[in-house]
Amino acid sequence: MTEKPDANAVLNDRRLLLLSPRDNVAAARQTIAAGERILIAGQLVTVAQDIPSGHKVAVRPIAAGEKIIKYGAPIGSATRDIAPGQYVHTHNIKSDYLPTYTQRGPV
Amino acid sequence: MTTTVQGFVRADGRKGIRNILVVAYLVECAHHVARQIVAPFADQSVHLIGFPGCYPSAYAHRVLQNVCTHPNVGAVLVVALGCESFDRAGLAEAIADSGRPVATLVIQEEGGTSATVAAGRRWIAQTLPELDRVGRAEMELHELIVGTICGGSDATSGLTANPVCGRVFDMLVARGATCIFEETGELIGCEQHMASRAVTPELARLLIDSVEKAARYYTVLGHASFAPGNAEGGLSTIEEKSLGAYCKSGTAPISGLLKPGDIPSGGGLYLLDVVPDGPVRFGFPNIADNAEIVELISCGCHLILFTTGRGSVVGSAVAPVIKVCANPETYQRLADDMDVNAGRVLQGEATLDEVAAELFELVLAVAAGKQTASERLGHQEFLLGYKFFEPTPAVGAAGRCAVFAPPA
């Protein structure tokens, strides 16, 4: 099992931005539409739903309960298993401090 | 400085980058009258500030007094209803002691709305020529205090505008300027890293304490410093928002921890603790971004770097606000409200260092008098509410503010 994702392969997809080699999520530089294919750790993955500009994509398998790492630091924990190439947001991660609010209340 | 800044020299020796007359109301009941007084002078650097509450607040007094004696301010008209708690005589005395022209109008004594509006306008018309005669002198970078805030953040804020701001903070601090970042509630998750940048172990402890206090405060309130727009913009958690916001502070050592109204001197980077002390009271620490901008100004900030992803349009009374837009799509829609397009980094059209160099030059130009977008559009927001603070621990240094690094 590899500890680190293949950072170069991720960076070869110009639509994605990996902020730290430790990260298990990358940011989308531009909106990636559902059905488009992205290069994750050397594998082409078809995106299941739109990933808006700035939002996050998993770059390696993340197990439920595992920390989400961005900027090389934890930004919360996975609430379910997340596969590489999947959209990462409030539907599958949560804060380790305080709930996140949307206009429809806490998630 | 590559641009020469001719500061406005105040009687107390401090130098400002603007020459503003402020009209300060001391209770909401005097707000309309104060607004009417200001109306004819909208294009003449006359700004409206004030405090709405009738109950006393040492915090509000300290902040309002610091804004009235801010180096960008040259004269003050105080407008009171008459029966409110605010110590108007103490405020006017402090302003007079700073060498600024000051007058107080009490609506109940002047004879009501019309009489007070007329008297206020007369005083301003008399005082503006006096303001024009204020002395000018060259201002060095080490005399400049710059604050930063992010508002309307999205996931691009921490990728472009905030790291750009951090680089500019590093450039300013390296040249002797004083820089202040803030909002401990938006540093939750960064406390250990921040502590590693503190100039002493005592300060490291205080920095961690201040973030833990913010986390406790927001836990009691049941809501983090997190707006629904943040989530729509791709920020999933307060920690993610924090890490993005934290980039604004750059990489310089952290020299001290301030509370609203503490004015640092001697250069360096400071954290402003904006979350009240003691048990939770008076509601949310900062009900909107302008409350934090007012606190930064109360700490002496001459100008503010405001980063935004979703697209905030606010400016401020008293201190110019430079708007740095993080998101290229937002910039397309709101270009007229923005000063810098940092979203170009995301599109591969510029590097963080290139945008930082552009912002640094703009800071100097704005200090030299160039209007920002929000100034041109007439934004002069001002927001001051109730808070309670214990005096700042003066660990390791003299004075009220917790300064740990001796001035270089």
Side-chain angles (χ1 to χ4, degrees), chain B residues 44-304:
Chain B
Q44 296 176 62
S45 290
V46 178
H47 292 188
L48 178 65
I49 65 173
F51 175 63
C54 188
Y55 294 92
S57 166
Y59 157 81
H61 190 112
R62 184 166 194 235
V63 169
L64 199 65
Q65 183 169 304
N66 276 20
V67 177
C68 286
T69 56
H70 186 282
N72 288 356
V73 172
V76 184
L77 176 63
V78 176
V79 183
L81 175 63
C83 46
E84 70 273 37
S85 302
F86 208 105
D87 173 14
R88 60 178 179 268
L91 175 65
E93 201 178 302
I95 298 165
D97 286 349
S98 78
R100 287 167 175 79
V102 57
T104 304
L105 295 175
V106 180
I107 296 169
Q108 288 165 351
E109 293 168 9
E110 289 294 323
T113 300
S114 301
T116 311
V117 169
R121 289 177 180 175
R122 272 198 308 277
W123 189 82
I124 292 175
Q126 284 164 16
T127 307
L128 284 176
E130 204 175 323
L131 220 57
D132 288 338
R133 293 194 291 272
V134 168
R136 307 293 294 269
E138 194 159 325
M139 189 168 167
E140 302 290 336
L141 258 183
H142 68 81
E143 298 172 286
L144 192 67
I145 308 181
V146 179
T148 188
I149 176 173
C150 43
S153 296
D154 69 15
T156 66
S157 301
L159 304 177
T160 63
N162 292 347
V164 162
C165 181
R167 281 164 167 75
V168 170
F169 260 31
D170 286 349
M171 294 159 83
L172 287 166
V173 169
R175 289 161 178 78
T178 302
C179 291
I180 306 177
F181 70 114
E182 53 88 54
E183 187 45 303
T184 42
E186 292 168 4
L187 292 166
I188 290 170
C190 310
E191 57 274 13
Q192 295 300 334
H193 192 276
M194 204 157 54
S196 74
R197 294 167 60 192
V199 292
T200 67
E202 306 124 284
L203 177 60
R205 187 65 244 162
L206 287 177
L207 293 175
I208 291 172
D209 287 351
S210 73
V211 177
E212 285 176 351
K213 178 181 69 170
R216 274 199 311 278
Y217 214 93
Y218 282 105
T219 301
V220 171
L221 293 166
H223 203 302
S225 179
F226 198 99
N230 297 149
E232 284 164 29
L235 296 171
S236 304
T237 63
I238 183 64
E239 301 97 294
E240 184 180 16
K241 181 178 178 179
S242 295
L243 284 162
Y246 179 54
C247 301
K248 298 199 301 304
S249 67
T251 59
I254 299 172
S255 295
L257 178 68
L258 311 172
K259 293 185 183 181
D262 293 338
I263 302 172
S265 61
L269 176 68
Y270 293 81
L271 172 64
L272 170 59
D273 181 3
V274 299
V275 174
D277 295 325
V280 176
R281 57 191 129 171
F282 306 132
F284 289 101
N286 286 300
I287 58 173
D289 295 327
N290 279 98
E292 292 156 53
I293 294 178
V294 167
E295 290 178 331
L296 284 166
I297 295 170
S298 81
C299 294
C301 288
H302 292 92
L303 64 89
I304 307 292

